[in-house]
Amino acid sequence: MSTEFISPSGLRLDGRRPHEIRHIHFQQNLFPKASGSCYFEQGNTKVIVTVYGPREVTRGISLMGRAVINCEYSMATFATGERRPRGKGDRRSMEISQLLQKTLESVVLVEKFPRTQIDVFAHVIQADGGTRCACLNAATLALMDAGIPLKDFVVSCAAGYLDNTPLCDLNFVEDSAGGPDLPIAYLPTSGNVAMIQMDSKVSLDHFENILETAIQGAKQIYSILQRGVEERVKELAKSKGLS
Amino acid sequence: MMSNIIRHNDIILKKTRRGRILKTVREHYLRTDISNGIGTILDLNADSYLIPDVNTCLYQIDVLESGKVKNVIILQTVLNEARSHNYSLFKRLKILLNRKEKKFFMFSNEHHKDTYVKRMKSESLINRNIRAIQNAAIWYQRTSNQSIPIYLITNDKESQEKSSKMEILSMTIHDYIAKLGIPSLNDLLVTNNLSIDTSAFSNESSSKSKLFTPYWSSIQIKKALAANEVVQGKISIRPGSQKGFVELNNGKRISINSYKYINRSIDGDVVVIQHKDQEGEVVGVVKRNWRIYCGSIDEETEIKNNGSQWVFFVPVDRKIPKIRIRTSQAAELITKRITVAIDSWDINSTTPQGHYISTIGEIGEIETETEVVLREANVPHYEFPEEVMACLPKEDWTISSSELSKRKDYRYSRCVVSVDPPGCKDIDDALHAKLLPNGNLEIGVHIADVTHFVKENSALDAEAAHRSTSVYLVHKRIDMLPKVLTEQLCSLRANVNRLAFSCIWEINPNTLEIISNEFHKSVIRSRAAFTYEQAQNIIDNQNDTSEIAVSLRLLQDLGKKLRKRRFEAGALALASPAVKFGLDTDKNPTDLELYQLRETNSTVEEFMLLANQAASAQMLKMFPHLAVLRRHPPPDSSRFESLLKSLNTRGLSLDVASSKGLNDTLEKIALPGNDYVNTIVRMLVTRCMQQAKYFSSGDRSSDEYYHYGLAMPIYTHFTSPIRRYADVLVHRLLGCTIGIYSLSKGITERENMRKTLSNTNERTRMAQIADRESISLYTLIFFKEKDIIADASVMSVDSKNVQVFIQKYGFSHELTSHENENWTFDEENEILTNNIDENLKLQIFDKIQVRIRVVVGRYHRSRLNVSLVTESRIRNRSTDREISNERPTKKTK
């Protein structure tokens, strides 16, 4: 007996249509002590990202011509249904930390800040599938909050393939169904894909379709982020008497 | 996400296997953009719209499926609950929802802002669901055209009362059907006030004495199972008796010898058994194996002229008890084969209660009885649904030039021919042979490229996987794929361009060494489609030196050598005699004879074996854990024991230690005086064999891959993708090995593959049963109103029955007139002696004469009556020597 991921009327388990993303809510500038911060909700996946820097290199090697980005991904003990101590040093966290770093390095104008480091701390408070995508989206917003110049937005969204249908922005139930899971990071103004990850096997015939679904989801997220950021900038400008 | 969507969370508490409580939070979106289906799927001007509740869907599905009940709204709440109660019913509901013409619409009320109902504190889930259904009904009433009534269909009194308070129109399904005024629908209804009979009847049982013992409650069963006081297993009923047994996992059997102790369980039910002095008693049924049964109404029923009446329905399957049904059309149904489903079995009733579903046709007609055979063997034989037909290419389809450029072109460069039985329209395979300049042979086996047309995950693919095999009956074929593919586009007919999947070898004709072997997709153009006989005639005609004749001779020579090598390696030749019916234009049998085998049969077979073997090797090399293979386990030596003992009484023996030994001794086995001894022994050995099965190589250890009958370490089926689904899977996998397909989820996921293959194995087995049943059906028709005396040989003798082999017609049968009390059985020598006439003895391989007649029993059960012709037997004995060389003579009445 298998679970049906799409009902005969075409709705997913949580009531979304295949191409719809989850509800998105975010708030920037939560922690004045940090250079930039963002609280980000993508459905029931909730993350906080704080950014420190650019600042003097404390550990490791400083690079002559550019800034170094350090990322750290961690998950709260209470983030999933089962309470379990989770470190930041386990294999999965390390992998996602690396992924965040690589992706952000491709959009931050690192050469503007030689011999500095930028620290990005991503913390998952509640996990319901797609934590790495939520962290990337939150990181973009936190970097903007910190005033660090970026080439472009980085919006991230995952897509999967269940019941012969490409699905956008998988939640935990869909994620753990065993189908393919394809998270991407998309640069909306240039139209480039900055990151793509694929661990499971998928037939090549479906791949294009899934990728297109993920990009389409990223575009939806972009329009929400763009609107939110614009509003906040307008507000800031107003408070400083600029508009 | 759109702004008009509200989001909230469902909180579910779950207990894990370790006993911890998990809190799961799931998002639940409520929307306003869900259509009510009116005007799209539901008719705009319907008489009424129906909203059935869960129990109506669960119990009255046959009425819903009848096609007469239209404009039905299935709520998501109902569908979800139906799913948790009965998965197969849920699937039937889903099929209804998928067929547009049925006009069933699913309304996602749980995700609509106005119809969603939050569960209140201390409210049971059932009550909450009832409220959700009522809410949805109210919403429909409010939002749709007021002049069309919307009925909530429920048989539950309480919910009817509640509904009337809320001003919802409600009625029972019985009232609705009465209102429709189609009397035949009444029979489809399950009778009112059903109680689910697996629940305990503890309070009732104390008051009155019951016919059967009440079932235990599920808690009681769980406890008793844990304490090892009871055992669980599948019950098997002996045909025609009221006795059964349960086979446990360790192979032990517990017999149940009385109807009372079988306690309302039916063959195949998973039951719980309590030991009671030497036998078991069923105390609970865990899982029912009820299906739809074919049969007829007891012909001795007194028929009322008007109104409905109770009648007994007698299933064709003799393991199933009579079923009591209520019908208003008894007069019409009495001469018909009908189908019936069981609804319940009351504790005070000797028989289960059921309801009529459909009429198949007039009893005794070939079409009707064939339909019964197909249904009882559970062979899917309905017309291909629309969505499957939509996957097919047009009939004027031709090979596109882009397709042509991707394939090897053998159309004019090779002399490809096909050789098949006469009348074969689904030509799977074609062959070519070419002498290479270096003296080696190039051999090509070209198989219809079915996977080019049957794309993975399409509706067509799902249908083919479901059917799994074509079923060959005496007078017709039930196809796995639609006719356009089976007989036209895939069939490798003569003088047309066809797509093929080719397996090409370069072979040294003397050493038989394979120099190279490769698989690729190709285009071929068969020069001719021969029958075995035609091909043999061309080969034998030495004056014919055409390209085709030369090619055929090359194939035959090489085939012979390959065959010899195969038998030297230990393959078994166990072809049991196949019978062949001659049919007239109305498909009535006119003739019955043994099927003639020609040398070309074995030549073609040899190359198919070679191709299958090559395919299995290629798959296993590239995908060691994914290959679809076919294994044939060696026979259980205990099965041979009684056969060896019987042979020993005639001074014969067999070496059963290995397949090679078996084959060698089988070759030599003979007895002066009876030419059929060899055939009979081969038939008996075949009965000791196990079934060959498909499996995925990742699921078994490599020593289990062995194919005993062919003496090959690995084997698969590659050569008949038109009629076997396993071959389709093999084609896909082979396509992956040569890089033209990519590995998909359907292939790589083990669970998925396991499910597909176990279905294929089961369908293959059922197809054999259907084939056998069809042959016995035709045998009965052939011998009907005849009274024939024929020569026969005794196949086996024991105290209970005697099996004889009737040479002329090529089938074996039990001696029916043989009565126990008049005969004494000598255990040691296995000889039956007649008590009255001591000269009359029966022993294995005795030549006898039998009289064949058809007797029609009660309940339209015809059977073949094969009785011993005693006088001739005595005469034969005295003149043994004279007739020993005599060929069996025709002795029709």
Side-chain angles (χ1 to χ4, degrees):
Chain A
M1 195 158 109
S2 59
T3 325
E4 278 76 23
F5 292 94
I6 295 181
S7 77
S9 58
L11 294 183
R12 286 152 74 172
L13 290 172
D14 55 7
R16 282 184 287 157
R17 296 226 155 83
H19 282 273
E20 285 171 354
I21 56 167
R22 289 177 284 179
H23 174 84
I24 282 177
H25 166 78
F26 65 89
Q27 195 185 340
Q28 281 167 298
N29 198 19
L30 285 168
F31 310 111
K33 209 182 158 189
S35 316
S37 58
C38 178
Y39 167 73
F40 188 88
E41 279 185 25
Q42 190 163 353
N44 271 338
T45 298
K46 304 181 180 185
V47 298
I48 289 177
V49 172
T50 47
V51 173
Y52 295 86
R55 60 186 179 187
E56 209 177 309
V57 175
T58 49
R59 290 177 285 183
I61 321 143
S62 68
L63 295 177
M64 283 303 288
R66 48 167 287 201
V68 179
I69 298 180
N70 288 324
C71 288
E72 202 172 280
Y73 168 95
S74 61
M75 203 185 250
T77 48
F78 48 82
T80 53
E82 200 177 4
R83 189 185 172 84
R84 184 147 55 96
R86 291 168 201 274
K88 53 193 177 188
D90 66 75
R91 188 190 272 266
R92 184 172 171 272
S93 303
M94 301 274 275
E95 180 204 323
I96 297 177
S97 301
Q98 283 287 316
L99 191 89
L100 293 180
Q101 186 195 327
K102 289 267 155 64
T103 316
L104 293 179
E105 270 177 356
S106 66
V107 282
V108 174
L109 294 171
V110 277
E111 54 285 357
K112 294 261 186 218
F113 309 101
R115 308 176 79 169
T116 58
Q117 73 175 27
I118 301 169
D119 294 323
V120 178
F121 298 103
H123 194 64
V124 179
I125 304 169
Q126 188 168 295
D128 187 29
T131 55
R132 69 195 71 187
C133 298
C135 285
L136 265 175
N137 291 331
T140 318
L141 294 168
L143 284 168
M144 286 178 179
D145 186 36
I148 295 168
L150 304 175
K151 284 182 205 151
D152 199 348
F153 268 75
V154 193
V155 279
S156 173
C157 183
Y161 190 81
L162 293 168
D163 287 351
N164 297 325
T165 323
L167 300 180
C168 190
D169 192 10
L170 307 180
N171 66 21
F172 177 74
V173 185
E174 291 164 338
D175 207 359
S176 41
D181 177 19
L182 179 85
I184 62 153
Y186 182 67
L187 309 181
T189 29
S190 64
N192 288 335
V193 173
M195 178 276 287
I196 188 161
Q197 202 185 9
M198 176 83 158
D199 298 332
S200 42
K201 288 174 190 159
V202 70
S203 162
L204 202 60
D205 315 336
H206 304 314
F207 180 77
E208 294 276 324
N209 235 328
I210 302 172
L211 182 62
E212 189 43 53
T213 309
I215 290 176
Q216 202 260 331
K219 283 180 180 163
Q220 287 179 55
I221 294 176
Y222 169 65
S223 72
I224 295 172
L225 300 195
Q226 162 77 19
R227 209 182 314 131
V229 170
E230 225 174 76
E231 262 165 38
R232 182 155 180 272
V233 169
K234 273 183 195 160
E235 242 168 64
L236 277 176
K238 214 184 213 172
S239 69
K240 289 183 178 167
L242 289 173
S243 69
Chain B
M1 187 134 219
M2 278 160 281
S3 53
N4 59 354
I5 290 170
I6 305 170
R7 176 180 84 107
H8 78 97
N9 287 319
D10 286 340
I11 296 166
I12 306 157
L13 294 176
K14 257 193 208 159
K15 201 174 172 186
T16 64
R17 240 181 269 167
R18 286 191 193 157
R20 274 189 284 183
I21 305 290
L22 273 191
K23 187 175 177 183
T24 336
V25 181
R26 281 189 193 158
E27 274 185 294
H28 191 121
Y29 290 98
L30 299 181
R31 19 193 348 138
T32 49
D33 61 344
I34 297 175
S35 136
N36 63 6
I38 295 171
T40 50
I41 290 178
L42 304 173
D43 285 331
L44 205 52
N45 307 313
D47 298 333
S48 59
Y49 300 116
L50 308 179
I51 304 180
D53 72 346
V54 182
N55 281 335
T56 311
C57 286
L58 285 177
Y59 295 115
Q60 310 290 2
I61 184 87
D62 290 322
V63 176
L64 296 180
E65 280 176 343
S66 67
K68 301 278 179 356
V69 183
K70 282 184 177 171
N71 294 308
V72 181
I73 299 152
I74 303 285
L75 299 178
Q76 191 185 3
T77 317
V78 172
L79 198 67
N80 286 351
E81 212 176 315
R83 179 175 189 278
S84 63
H85 277 289
N86 187 332
Y87 191 67
S88 66
L89 261 173
F90 164 75
K91 283 206 283 197
R92 283 164 79 179
L93 277 175
K94 257 180 86 172
I95 291 171
L96 277 177
L97 289 169
N98 281 336
R99 299 249 164 96
K100 285 236 162 56
E101 73 278 7
K102 297 270 183 186
K103 299 206 183 298
F104 273 59
F105 175 72
M106 177 189 167
F107 179 62
S108 301
N109 64 319
E110 300 282 2
H111 289 293
H112 195 287
K113 196 180 103 231
D114 299 334
T115 54
Y116 175 71
V117 169
K118 202 162 181 145
R119 189 168 162 190
M120 291 188 291
K121 250 192 179 163
S122 75
E123 187 182 28
S124 74
L125 190 62
I126 297 174
N127 283 337
R128 185 248 159 217
N129 284 347
I130 292 176
R131 215 151 53 80
I133 293 168
Q134 286 167 343
N135 246 14
I138 292 175
W139 181 83
Y140 258 98
Q141 256 164 21
R142 245 200 352 249
T143 54
S144 64
N145 184 347
Q146 303 288 333
S147 58
I148 302 174
I150 289 159
Y151 293 112
L152 182 65
I153 302 294
T154 176
N155 278 25
D156 183 45
K157 284 249 164 62
E158 204 181 319
S159 111
Q160 266 172 3
E161 276 165 24
K162 270 191 198 165
S163 308
S164 66
K165 271 184 209 155
M166 298 169 81
E167 295 183 355
I168 302 169
L169 298 173
S170 71
M171 60 161 81
T172 65
I173 183 88
H174 297 80
D175 290 344
Y176 179 74
I177 297 298
K179 198 174 141 243
L180 270 185
I182 306 171
S184 64
L185 283 186
N186 276 324
D187 290 2
L188 290 173
L189 282 173
V190 174
T191 335
N192 238 334
N193 303 329
L194 268 187
S195 54
I196 301 169
D197 66 340
T198 42
S199 61
F201 289 89
S202 46
N203 6 345
E204 292 173 37
S205 59
S206 53
S207 53
K208 286 175 264 168
S209 74
K210 302 280 180 186
L211 196 57
F212 293 105
T213 357
Y215 290 144
W216 294 5
S217 71
S218 55
I219 303 163
Q220 222 176 337
I221 288 175
K222 241 182 215 166
K223 271 189 194 161
L225 272 174
N228 271 335
E229 288 160 7
V230 292
V231 285
Q232 188 176 320
K234 218 177 223 182
I235 191 165
S236 311
I237 308 286
R238 297 210 162 86
S241 77
Q242 299 191 338
K243 290 171 184 172
F245 62 87
V246 169
E247 192 158 311
L248 304 177
N249 286 340
N250 57 11
K252 254 170 104 180
R253 282 182 175 188
I254 299 176
S255 56
I256 307 166
N257 293 331
S258 74
Y259 202 53
K260 189 170 158 46
Y261 280 179
I262 288 175
N263 199 356
R264 295 170 281 154
S265 57
I266 281 168
D267 186 74
D269 283 354
V270 178
V271 295
V272 174
I273 301 274
Q274 189 186 29
H275 261 294
K276 263 190 183 170
D277 36 71
Q278 307 299 318
E279 62 173 314
E281 179 184 7
V282 174
V283 294
V285 177
V286 179
K287 201 174 167 225
R288 286 291 192 189
N289 185 37
W290 292 349
R291 55 178 176 95
I292 292 170
Y293 303 99
C294 299
S296 55
I297 292 172
D298 184 353
E299 65 261 41
E300 288 176 15
T301 310
E302 275 180 44
I303 292 164
K304 273 200 229 163
N305 283 330
N306 46 15
S308 64
Q309 65 176 127
W310 287 104
V311 294
F312 280 117
F313 163 83
V314 186
V316 174
D317 186 347
R318 301 188 64 207
K319 290 184 287 232
I320 307 300
K322 288 183 197 169
I323 302 166
R324 214 154 48 95
I325 61 167
R326 199 167 173 80
T327 177
S328 52
Q329 28 179 357
E332 195 186 320
L333 296 184
I334 195 117
T335 57
K336 301 278 197 323
R337 284 274 180 225
I338 60 171
T339 58
V340 158
I342 299 181
D343 301 329
S344 64
W345 197 335
D346 189 71
I347 194 159
N348 257 333
S349 163
T350 48
T351 53
Q353 190 179 317
H355 67 272
Y356 158 88
I357 291 180
S358 66
T359 304
I360 299 174
E362 208 67 40
I363 293 172
E365 279 179 4
I366 291 181
E367 278 311 316
T368 310
E369 299 299 333
T370 307
E371 178 76 19
V372 170
V373 166
L374 288 172
R375 283 188 186 223
E376 286 292 305
N378 197 13
V379 173
H381 58 287
Y382 45 81
E383 297 263 308
F384 286 94
E386 232 171 81
E387 65 265 28
V388 171
M389 300 308 276
C391 301
L392 298 175
K394 293 209 175 66
E395 197 144 350
D396 59 357
W397 169 92
T398 48
I399 302 167
S400 68
S401 54
S402 67
E403 191 58 48
L404 203 59
S405 64
K406 283 188 244 165
R407 292 168 178 261
K408 287 226 174 173
D409 191 347
Y410 290 133
R411 283 177 297 173
Y412 306 106
S413 58
R414 302 290 187 280
C415 173
V416 179
V417 292
S418 68
V419 188
D420 286 283
C424 178
K425 283 178 184 156
D426 48 342
I427 305 171
D428 289 295
D429 48 78
L431 296 155
H432 85 255
K434 190 182 164 191
L435 196 60
L436 296 174
N438 63 4
N440 289 339
L441 284 177
E442 181 193 89
I443 303 289
V445 167
H446 309 275
I447 308 297
D449 191 5
V450 170
T451 51
H452 178 82
F453 298 99
V454 183
K455 292 273 183 276
E456 200 167 4
N457 291 327
S458 62
L460 177 60
D461 185 40
E463 184 65 39
H466 176 63
R467 297 189 178 219
S468 271
T469 173
S470 290
V471 180
Y472 291 79
L473 303 179
V474 172
H475 69 300
K476 68 173 177 186
R477 192 181 71 214
I478 313 296
D479 289 330
M480 179 178 87
L481 296 169
K483 209 171 182 170
V484 185
L485 292 183
T486 309
E487 293 185 2
Q488 301 285 329
L489 302 183
C490 286
S491 183
L492 304 177
R493 297 182 309 157
N495 300 320
V496 280
N497 295 340
R498 284 289 175 256
L499 300 179
F501 204 142
S502 302
C503 178
I504 311 287
W505 295 269
E506 187 184 336
I507 297 182
N508 183 323
N510 303 315
T511 59
L512 296 182
E513 185 197 353
I514 292 170
I515 289 134
S516 70
N517 173 213
E518 80 174 283
F519 286 89
H520 49 245
K521 294 248 173 154
S522 62
V523 189
I524 60 161
R525 191 182 176 92
S526 169
R527 301 280 170 94
F530 292 123
T531 64
Y532 290 121
E533 195 179 353
Q534 286 169 338
Q536 193 61 58
N537 291 342
I538 291 174
I539 291 169
D540 294 343
N541 179 7
Q542 292 302 332
N543 299 328
D544 189 346
T545 53
S546 66
E547 197 183 356
I548 290 176
V550 172
S551 171
L552 281 174
R553 273 180 214 123
L554 282 175
L555 284 169
Q556 174 143 327
D557 289 344
L558 189 64
K560 265 187 204 161
K561 287 179 194 161
L562 285 169
R563 190 173 174 78
K564 191 164 157 260
R565 185 179 67 170
R566 199 160 58 82
F567 283 113
E568 277 166 5
L572 270 181
L574 279 182
S576 47
V579 291
K580 188 173 167 281
F581 285 94
L583 299 180
D584 66 13
T585 46
D586 293 332
K587 311 260 173 180
N588 288 313
T590 52
D591 194 14
L592 174 59
E593 60 180 17
L594 272 170
Y595 182 66
Q596 282 275 321
L597 285 173
R598 290 191 169 75
E599 198 172 353
T600 38
N601 288 41
S602 56
T603 305
V604 173
E605 187 197 339
E606 211 52 52
F607 288 105
M608 294 307 130
L609 288 173
L610 200 64
N612 286 337
Q613 206 183 6
S616 66
Q618 169 101 347
M619 261 194 299
L620 200 65
K621 193 175 101 198
M622 304 293 264
F623 305 119
H625 298 289
L626 298 176
V628 172
L629 302 178
R630 189 167 171 83
R631 70 192 174 94
H632 182 215
D636 199 355
S637 59
S638 66
R639 291 203 193 192
F640 275 125
E641 262 168 40
S642 67
L643 171 62
L644 288 178
K645 185 166 173 273
S646 309
L647 289 179
N648 199 27
T649 62
R650 282 293 196 171
L652 298 172
S653 71
L654 282 177
D655 172 13
V656 296
S658 68
S659 59
K660 180 159 173 53
L662 186 58
N663 201 49
D664 289 349
T665 38
L666 269 179
E667 284 289 317
K668 285 174 211 138
I669 216 155
L671 208 62
N674 193 338
D675 299 339
Y676 289 94
V677 168
N678 200 292
T679 317
I680 293 170
V681 174
R682 280 178 201 268
M683 279 172 82
L684 290 169
V685 169
T686 311
R687 289 181 190 179
C688 297
M689 290 295 149
Q690 300 209 41
Q691 283 260 334
K693 282 201 167 99
Y694 299 108
F695 68 102
S696 172
S697 61
D699 286 347
R700 304 234 158 221
S701 65
S702 54
D703 51 335
E704 284 179 284
Y705 295 175
Y706 192 69
H707 196 292
Y708 177 85
L710 297 170
M712 288 183 190
I714 46 167
Y715 187 66
T716 194
H717 274 163
F718 160 71
T719 51
S720 301
I722 298 181
R723 58 186 178 88
R724 290 190 304 229
Y725 191 70
D727 302 49
V728 175
L729 291 173
V730 169
H731 275 227
R732 289 209 180 108
L733 271 161
L734 278 178
C736 293
T737 67
I738 54 172
I740 45 174
Y741 297 137
S742 54
L743 278 178
S744 69
K745 204 178 129 194
I747 293 175
T748 51
E749 259 182 32
R750 272 207 197 175
E751 197 44 50
N752 208 336
M753 192 55 112
R754 223 171 274 161
K755 238 191 254 165
T756 315
L757 291 178
S758 87
N759 179 53
T760 310
N761 283 328
E762 177 62 14
R763 290 268 188 239
T764 312
R765 196 175 69 85
M766 293 316 266
Q768 282 168 1
I769 291 178
D771 177 32
R772 211 157 53 215
E773 288 296 315
S774 168
I775 289 175
S776 40
L777 175 67
Y778 266 81
T779 315
L780 281 174
I781 296 169
F782 178 72
F783 286 109
K784 205 166 133 190
E785 285 153 24
K786 287 197 182 84
D787 191 348
I788 292 175
I789 291 179
D791 290 301
S793 300
V794 178
M795 265 185 103
S796 71
V797 181
D798 67 28
S799 59
K800 287 193 192 109
N801 67 57
V802 178
Q803 284 270 331
V804 295
F805 175 65
I806 303 154
Q807 293 104 345
K808 179 165 181 273
Y809 303 112
F811 68 93
S812 65
H813 204 275
E814 205 170 296
L815 268 192
T816 18
S817 66
H818 174 72
E819 279 160 19
N820 290 337
E821 50 274 23
N822 289 336
W823 298 80
T824 326
F825 185 59
D826 173 0
E827 289 275 351
E828 198 179 322
N829 298 317
E830 298 196 351
I831 298 175
L832 268 179
T833 316
N834 194 307
N835 292 346
I836 303 157
D837 175 3
E838 282 199 7
N839 285 331
L840 189 53
K841 290 182 182 194
L842 282 178
Q843 194 184 359
I844 190 166
F845 305 133
D846 268 347
K847 291 177 81 170
I848 54 171
Q849 278 194 314
V850 289
R851 181 167 172 205
I852 308 166
R853 277 169 307 167
V854 173
V855 223
V856 181
R858 204 172 159 199
Y859 309 136
H860 311 284
R861 278 177 180 146
S862 317
R863 64 198 163 84
L864 212 55
N865 188 323
V866 179
S867 56
L868 187 65
V869 181
T870 354
E871 314 83 69
S872 65
R873 158 87 198 145
I874 298 165
R875 183 173 51 82
N876 278 1
R877 246 197 132 62
S878 54
T879 57
D880 223 346
R881 195 149 293 279
E882 279 168 49
I883 74 159
S884 63
N885 295 324
E886 190 185 345
R887 301 295 302 174
T889 48
K890 256 190 194 172
K891 272 189 191 162
T892 36
K893 61 174 176 177

